[in-house]
């Protein structure tokens, strides 16, 4: 059984920081790309950032220079450090992991989502 557990969301003032984490467990053969998506109220799901198994990263223009993605392969965990947060960063954040799982082959798995609210 595959499980992704997210943590770290919450309420923060504009200009503040938060760190999200997402830990994968279950029958994991190999993890390829790990990423974070977000969905703001009334908007579509968008890719925020991703990181490959080789460490190459990709960021949405709206978060470049403010967000940093990292991964700990030993812990099957991906992190999102969010600095200089803005009200428009308010959204539910979902982690996504593309991997070969023992029970489901090559496929994506999603976290449960964590709410980030940026407000004074």
């Amino acid at each position: 059984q595959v499980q992704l557990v997210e943590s770290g969301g919450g309420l923060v003032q504009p200009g503040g920081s938060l760190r999200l984490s997402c830990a994968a467990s279950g029958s994991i053969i190999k993890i390829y790309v790990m990423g974070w998506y977000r969905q703001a109220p009334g908007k579509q799901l968008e890719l925020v950032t991703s990181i490959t198994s080789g460490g190459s990263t990709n960021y949405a223009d709206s978060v470049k220079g403010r967000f940093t993605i990292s991964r700990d392969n030993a812990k099957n965990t991906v992190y999102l450090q969010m600095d200089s947060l803005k009200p428009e960063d308010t959204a539910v954040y979902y982690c996504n992991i593309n991997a070969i799982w023992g029970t489901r082959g090559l496929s994506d798995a999603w976290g449960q989502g964590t709410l980030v609210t940026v407000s004074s």
Side-chain angles (χ1 to χ4, degrees):
Q1 185 175 354
V2 173
Q3 187 175 20
L4 271 58
V5 178
E6 298 183 30
S7 61
L11 173 64
V12 63
Q13 292 187 342
S17 298
L18 281 175
R19 188 188 194 216
L20 307 182
S21 64
C22 173
S25 62
S27 180
I28 302 170
I29 306 301
K30 182 175 177 59
I31 295 177
Y32 293 105
V33 181
M34 308 176 90
W36 291 93
Y37 289 72
R38 69 185 180 185
Q39 186 166 28
K43 295 189 177 181
Q44 291 186 330
L45 189 69
E46 66 169 343
L47 175 63
V48 177
T49 179
S50 62
I51 183 168
T52 69
S53 56
S56 297
T57 58
N58 177 58
Y59 294 93
D61 288 342
S62 59
V63 306
K64 281 181 181 177
R66 300 188 299 119
F67 289 12
T68 303
I69 189 171
S70 60
R71 61 191 281 171
D72 185 332
N73 293 324
K75 296 181 179 179
N76 297 323
T77 299
V78 60
Y79 305 97
L80 181 62
Q81 177 67 41
M82 303 184 292
D83 299 317
S84 302
L85 281 160
K86 304 176 181 179
E88 51 263 44
D89 294 318
T90 295
V92 178
Y93 285 71
Y94 299 90
C95 65
N96 173 276
I97 295 180
N98 179 262
I100 300 175
W101 313 92
T103 55
R104 27 192 288 195
L106 177 63
S107 63
D108 286 345
W110 292 86
Q112 80 278 14
T114 187
L115 178 62
V116 172
T117 303
V118 184
S119 175
S120 56

PDB file of all heavy atoms in Angstrom, residues 72-77:
ATOM      1  N   ASP A  72      15.118  14.061   0.194  1.00  0.00           N
ATOM      2  CA  ASP A  72      15.990  13.165   0.954  1.00  0.00           C
ATOM      3  C   ASP A  72      15.645  11.759   0.492  1.00  0.00           C
ATOM      4  O   ASP A  72      14.635  11.185   0.900  1.00  0.00           O
ATOM      5  CB  ASP A  72      15.743  13.340   2.456  1.00  0.00           C
ATOM      6  CG  ASP A  72      16.708  12.513   3.295  1.00  0.00           C
ATOM      7  OD1 ASP A  72      17.193  11.465   2.831  1.00  0.00           O
ATOM      8  OD2 ASP A  72      16.958  12.904   4.444  1.00  0.00           O
ATOM      9  N   ASN A  73      16.474  11.215  -0.380  1.00  0.00           N
ATOM     10  CA  ASN A  73      16.173   9.920  -0.971  1.00  0.00           C
ATOM     11  C   ASN A  73      16.196   8.789   0.069  1.00  0.00           C
ATOM     12  O   ASN A  73      15.454   7.818  -0.059  1.00  0.00           O
ATOM     13  CB  ASN A  73      17.151   9.617  -2.093  1.00  0.00           C
ATOM     14  CG  ASN A  73      16.966  10.552  -3.276  1.00  0.00           C
ATOM     15  OD1 ASN A  73      15.849  10.943  -3.599  1.00  0.00           O
ATOM     16  ND2 ASN A  73      18.067  10.925  -3.913  1.00  0.00           N
ATOM     17  N   ALA A  74      17.013   8.936   1.079  1.00  0.00           N
ATOM     18  CA  ALA A  74      17.086   7.903   2.118  1.00  0.00           C
ATOM     19  C   ALA A  74      15.784   7.813   2.913  1.00  0.00           C
ATOM     20  O   ALA A  74      15.433   6.759   3.435  1.00  0.00           O
ATOM     21  CB  ALA A  74      18.251   8.184   3.053  1.00  0.00           C
ATOM     22  N   LYS A  75      15.091   8.951   2.995  1.00  0.00           N
ATOM     23  CA  LYS A  75      13.845   9.011   3.763  1.00  0.00           C
ATOM     24  C   LYS A  75      12.613   9.030   2.855  1.00  0.00           C
ATOM     25  O   LYS A  75      11.485   9.129   3.355  1.00  0.00           O
ATOM     26  CB  LYS A  75      13.830  10.256   4.654  1.00  0.00           C
ATOM     27  CG  LYS A  75      14.906  10.261   5.730  1.00  0.00           C
ATOM     28  CD  LYS A  75      14.803  11.512   6.586  1.00  0.00           C
ATOM     29  CE  LYS A  75      15.855  11.503   7.681  1.00  0.00           C
ATOM     30  NZ  LYS A  75      15.788  12.730   8.533  1.00  0.00           N
ATOM     31  N   ASN A  76      12.821   8.949   1.545  1.00  0.00           N
ATOM     32  CA  ASN A  76      11.691   9.007   0.597  1.00  0.00           C
ATOM     33  C   ASN A  76      10.818  10.224   0.862  1.00  0.00           C
ATOM     34  O   ASN A  76       9.577  10.147   0.855  1.00  0.00           O
ATOM     35  CB  ASN A  76      10.843   7.726   0.672  1.00  0.00           C
ATOM     36  CG  ASN A  76      11.615   6.503   0.260  1.00  0.00           C
ATOM     37  OD1 ASN A  76      12.445   6.555  -0.668  1.00  0.00           O
ATOM     38  ND2 ASN A  76      11.378   5.402   0.937  1.00  0.00           N
ATOM     39  N   THR A  77      11.463  11.350   1.081  1.00  0.00           N
ATOM     40  CA  THR A  77      10.764  12.565   1.492  1.00  0.00           C
ATOM     41  C   THR A  77      11.146  13.733   0.600  1.00  0.00           C
ATOM     42  O   THR A  77      12.309  13.872   0.216  1.00  0.00           O
ATOM     43  CB  THR A  77      11.090  12.897   2.956  1.00  0.00           C
ATOM     44  OG1 THR A  77      10.659  11.812   3.788  1.00  0.00           O
ATOM     45  CG2 THR A  77      10.369  14.171   3.403  1.00  0.00           C
TER      46      THR A  77
END
